[in-house]
Amino acid sequence: MNFKENISLKSYNTFGIDVNAKRFISIDSVYQLQQLLKIEKDIFLISGGSNMLLTKDIEKLVVHIDIKGISIDRENHNDIYLTVNAGENWHDFVLWCVSENYGGVENLSLIPGNVGTCPIQNIGAYGVEVKDTISKVEALEIETGKLVQFSNKECNFGYRNSIFKNEVKGKYIIISVSFKLTKNNHNLNSSYGAIETELASKNITKPTLKDISEAVITIRESKLPDPKKIGNSGSFFKNPVIAKSQFLELQKEYPNVPSYIVSDTEIKVPAGWLIEQAGFKGKRYGEFGVHEKQALVLVNYGNASGAEIYQLAEKIKESIFNKFGISLEIEVNIIA
Ligand code: EPU
């Protein structure tokens, strides 16, 4: 096994935070991972590094999951069942599905990160969540090295949430994700406002998977920073769900507040809107700040530390609470 010492994790996290890994190993097979777990269980996992904020050097062994490969399990006239190994890049997988005409993940184009971490936060965008396509998740139990399968139901998916962020957090290493995608009669999801507008601007009335994927890419590129150019982790906070009574009060003061109905008694309010109202949008503090086109995204212009970005997040949370009485919840994993 090829252990490395004292390497920078800057290129392993999309925030581009420069922290040191005392010891590091890249793993490209399940067998290798099982062998490693026999000698070391107190590990720090990193995959696409797209949903974490590193605030300090990592003393534990950093294990980079780089297991690649896609296999077709079975198919019929309408559906195809695929198993994708954890280290595959998410967006490359989406583009491959679109080129093969496999439907279900096209709305999730251009989301950073790897396939193995997509179930953890149940990635979602433009009216689709990855839970809609996942049939099962396979993971290694760190304690025993045993392979365990989680059915879609067992994953307990919710909005940016799953069992992997709760009950079994830190206990398993996801090694592959299985998907059920469509080959025919795709269930296209093009009704999200921005997608409709984008398709209409191109006079597309009967969109294909590729049209939707391209529309999503255009929309994302127009408001979300490319992590290869400006470090970021996508939405830093979750969109808060508040009581309808609180929402009605808010609406009195801000008649244009955007909202999504969650239930008869609960309303989701975009955190990006709240942060913009509080005056943070586009604010730059030296090496870090709040993205100019989407206030929900905190950015590293180059040499920020994770601690600085975390302090900014806390300042934003406090300001939103003081102004609106709403508690924002951080969506990104803070490694402290
Ligand atoms: N808005 C503002 N100011 C801002 C940002 C947004 O007023 O700076 C308003 C917009 O005008 C719009 C509303 O807030 O009325 C919603 O904005 P948007 O459509 O950009 O979506 P979002 O709620 O901010 C969520 C996801 C994104 C996902 C988009 C599209 C969360 C935490 N974020 O953002 O996911 O791409 O919807 O579906 O749910 C991610 O998780 O990393 C991510 C990027």
Side-chain angles (χ1 to χ4, degrees), residues 213-323:
S213 171
E214 284 176 356
V216 168
I217 291 172
T218 305
I219 300 162
R220 288 187 77 98
E221 283 179 339
S222 74
K223 53 172 131 180
L224 295 168
D226 176 355
K228 289 197 188 89
K229 296 181 186 137
I230 302 178
N232 75 90
S233 231
S235 302
F236 199 90
F237 302 96
K238 287 188 187 185
N239 285 333
V241 174
I242 60 174
K244 194 172 178 182
S245 51
Q246 187 179 11
F247 176 74
L248 293 174
E249 287 300 312
L250 185 66
Q251 204 179 30
K252 272 190 209 153
E253 206 176 331
Y254 302 91
N256 296 325
V257 51
S259 62
Y260 319 96
I261 294 171
V262 174
S263 69
D264 289 349
T265 54
E266 289 177 316
I267 307 279
K268 196 187 269 184
V269 180
W273 182 87
L274 296 167
I275 298 168
E276 180 170 350
Q277 295 304 311
F280 285 102
K281 190 171 184 172
K283 276 269 166 73
R284 181 169 177 163
Y285 308 85
E287 288 294 303
F288 60 98
V290 179
H291 189 51
E292 54 184 357
K293 294 183 191 143
Q294 163 57 288
L296 194 47
V297 179
L298 304 189
V299 292
N300 171 14
Y301 288 104
N303 293 310
S305 72
E308 285 172 321
I309 292 173
Y310 182 64
Q311 275 162 20
L312 172 60
E314 287 294 314
K315 188 167 144 186
I316 291 172
K317 273 178 74 171
E318 194 184 316
S319 169
I320 299 298
F321 188 77
N322 292 340
K323 190 171 169 69

Side-chain angles (χ1 to χ4, degrees), residues 4-38:
K4 292 180 182 161
E5 279 181 15
N6 291 318
I7 72 152
S8 166
L9 292 180
K10 192 172 169 75
S11 63
Y12 290 94
N13 70 103
T14 61
F15 245 126
I17 304 292
D18 190 4
V19 298
N20 181 64
K22 208 168 177 185
R23 289 186 309 137
F24 177 97
I25 187 165
S26 211
I27 291 286
D28 62 11
S29 74
V30 175
Y31 175 75
Q32 222 187 4
L33 190 55
Q34 283 172 319
Q35 294 308 103
L36 176 73
L37 289 178
K38 283 183 190 163

